[in-house]
Amino acid sequence: MRSETNLDYEVVVVGAGVAGIYQIKRLIDMGIKATVLEADADLGGTWYNNRYPGARFDSESYTYGYSFSKEILDEWHWKEMFSGQPENLKYLNFVADKFNLRQHMQFNCRVQSAIFNESEELWDIKVSDGRELRCRVLILALGLLSQPTMPRVEGVEDFQGRSWHTYNWPHEQVDLRDQRVGVVGTGATAIQVIGEIADKVGELTVFQRRPNWVAPLNNSEISPAQMDEIRARYDEIFETCARTPGGFEHEPDRRGFYEVSQEERYELWDQLYDEPGFAIWLRNFREIFTDEEANAEISAYIAERIRGRVEDPEVAEKLIPKDHGFGVQRVPMETGYLEAFNRENVQLVDISETPIERVTETGIRTSDGDYDFDIIVYATGFDAITGSFDHIDIRGRNGMTLKEKWFDSPTTFLGMMVSGFPNLLMPSGPQSGSASTNYPRGIENGVDWCTEMLEYLYDNELGYFEATEEAESRWTEHVVKMYSVMLMRKAQSWFTGYNSNVDGHEAGKVRYMVYNGGTPKYVATIADVADKDYEGIRFSNDAHMPVEVVTAD
Ligand code: NAP
């Protein structure tokens, strides 16, 4: 085999988050020359950036950790059932340091463009530090929610106090005491922030355009003895995650919704509401996701729980969603969110009634008047999944840009490849198994599959790989079909590609962002493709294509 001398790296991985960390581990273990380019100053992705008060898992911590290393499972002690951001970032650093991965990562390196060089069949990459790098295989581990979006409101720059998007919450401690704080947005992020800061600020004003269904997180500490029990159960835990649709320990109730009486359903919901994490969402009857009537009943139940926790009936009604049912968007988990609105120092401004007109030097002006603040927090969400791809100039064959190709809706093969973009892999791309599951469970499957595909490529001395158009169409049609049975298709959320602050992503059109078939079906499908010698992927043994794996530094 020959080696390719004009390559800087055999593989470049973009992103040092949860997926990038595991991906580089697998590549280094293969002995190939690979590096991670990370735009941030350090590793961690989501857990490096989201430092807002209240940021924590809503996956049980021990189901969120990597499963690939027994050493890590034995050594790491999760201290809370739903661990907070500082601890989660510590964990990712612990993993990276354990396997000496940091030496294979380059920070403050934002990839600006990645252009497929057709004559040499290599990727030419431009980095923000001015370097131009060349690699054969490009792996984009960009994360799902790494492109924050500010509201498209006039005057955001005029505000003279302090303001930031939750994703960019300052790294240094922010003293909130006596501060007048405005929070824009009531998504999963805002719901964590509000629950956490309501009793720490002077005054808190929440600007809500559309309410979200919420349910209590029911967090608790994990004692050393409990952690020992968890360690003893790790095999069982990961087996359970592998057989559930969402990659959690929560298994759906397999009884038919209409097979049990309403009384029994309410008994189950009373129990699930008080259980930790997504139990009320994911251990529920499957019909709540697909059947309007079943969904209406669980929605009515949750609405009653909201009324029971919010003292002012008018505020309670405002906090109950009317435009979508419970669970058809990802359910934000909360700690004290609803009770925050019972406090004297917290007020809810319904901007569906009195819209924000502009941000002023002193605060926010709605059609009803001015609100003055010391701090404005924009919890206004993300240009989800495709946004971080769109911010890199990625060009495949014939100069086609990925942004153009995906403008209406992404099209992919297994969520991990794109036709027309050879030698490109996305272990957690749109329509992959990672996007709608407990993320680490999804990315381990994605990274393992991508790595094994590369091993196949090298073992068989093949040149390049590219998903065929037919395979891509088949997969994308399958993804679209899955949406047709889900009530989710009717909701405006990042699962349907909605973001009111991004051109072309506003309400009114569905973008098919996630795979809804569940973990077991996804894993069986990608395994089948591999078993059939990667059916749906075209490989080449072009003479121009060097096939040797360049040895590590
Ligand atoms: P989000 O769910 O998209 O919520 C954004 C919020 O901002 C919505 O309430 C939205 O209102 C509002 N908004 C956006 N633009 C606005 C504007 N111009 N004017 C007024 N309001 C505006 O974003 P997110 O809360 O950051 O959550 C995104 C995802 O992150 C979640 O679904 C979840 O997957 C993930 N997340 C996970 C965790 C965790 O694991 N623990 C925690 C937080 C977030 P509309 O609804 O009216 O558009």
Side-chain angles (χ1 to χ4, degrees), residues 47 52 55-59 145 150-153 165-166 184-190 192 207-210 212 330 351 356 379-382 492 494-495 498-501:
W47 300 109
Y52 60 83
R56 61 177 61 255
F57 293 150
D58 43 24
S59 304
L145 300 158
M150 291 291 280
R152 286 198 279 202
V153 176
H165 190 285
T166 42
V184 182
T186 48
T189 301
Q192 288 190 325
F207 294 89
Q208 170 184 274
R209 192 164 60 184
R210 290 185 312 141
N212 248 299
R330 181 193 179 286
I351 53 171
I356 293 180
T380 42
F382 297 86
Q492 290 170 25
W494 64 270
F495 278 21
Y498 156 80
N499 184 317
S500 69
N501 303 305

Side-chain angles (χ1 to χ4, degrees), residues 333-530:
M333 306 309 292
E334 46 84 27
T335 305
Y337 172 68
L338 294 172
E339 286 74 13
F341 295 98
N342 298 335
R343 298 179 57 86
E344 288 283 306
N345 67 332
V346 178
Q347 68 168 321
L348 182 67
V349 177
D350 184 344
I351 53 171
S352 69
E353 287 174 0
T354 55
I356 293 180
E357 290 183 343
R358 60 166 298 139
V359 178
T360 65
E361 285 188 9
T362 56
I364 291 179
R365 179 171 303 153
T366 71
S367 60
D368 195 32
D370 279 8
Y371 298 83
D372 287 348
F373 298 115
D374 302 303
I375 297 174
I376 299 178
V377 176
Y378 296 102
T380 42
F382 297 86
D383 188 1
I385 316 188
T386 51
S388 45
F389 289 84
D390 289 350
H391 278 76
I392 304 175
D393 183 10
I394 302 167
R395 290 170 196 254
R397 289 199 189 286
N398 306 316
M400 175 174 37
T401 70
L402 194 58
K403 189 175 178 177
E404 281 161 5
K405 178 163 169 140
W406 282 358
F407 184 77
D408 281 333
S409 181
T411 55
T412 71
F413 179 49
L414 307 174
M416 294 194 279
M417 287 188 182
V418 190
S419 164
F421 293 78
N423 289 8
L424 175 72
L425 290 166
M426 313 173 294
S428 57
Q431 307 178 345
S432 74
S434 309
S436 56
T437 52
N438 191 0
Y439 191 61
R441 304 282 61 77
I443 67 92
E444 280 190 343
N445 294 327
V447 166
D448 286 344
W449 190 89
C450 290
T451 309
E452 281 151 30
M453 205 279 292
L454 289 179
E455 282 167 350
Y456 176 88
L457 185 87
Y458 298 133
D459 288 350
N460 292 284
E461 300 185 13
L462 299 167
Y464 74 83
F465 55 88
E466 180 180 354
T468 65
E469 274 178 42
E470 303 75 59
E472 180 175 283
S473 301
R474 230 181 308 125
W475 179 253
T476 306
E477 276 163 27
H478 174 58
V479 168
V480 170
K481 201 164 153 205
M482 289 271 163
Y483 269 78
S484 67
V485 294
M486 309 290 289
L487 295 174
M488 167 212 287
R489 73 188 183 283
K490 298 184 177 176
Q492 290 170 25
S493 81
W494 64 270
F495 278 21
T496 50
Y498 156 80
N499 184 317
S500 69
N501 303 305
V502 180
D503 281 338
H505 296 193
E506 298 94 344
K509 124 178 150 188
V510 175
R511 298 176 77 242
Y512 298 94
M513 307 295 275
V514 302
Y515 175 69
N516 288 309
T519 303
K521 198 165 174 176
Y522 183 76
V523 170
T525 306
I526 62 175
D528 187 52
V529 168

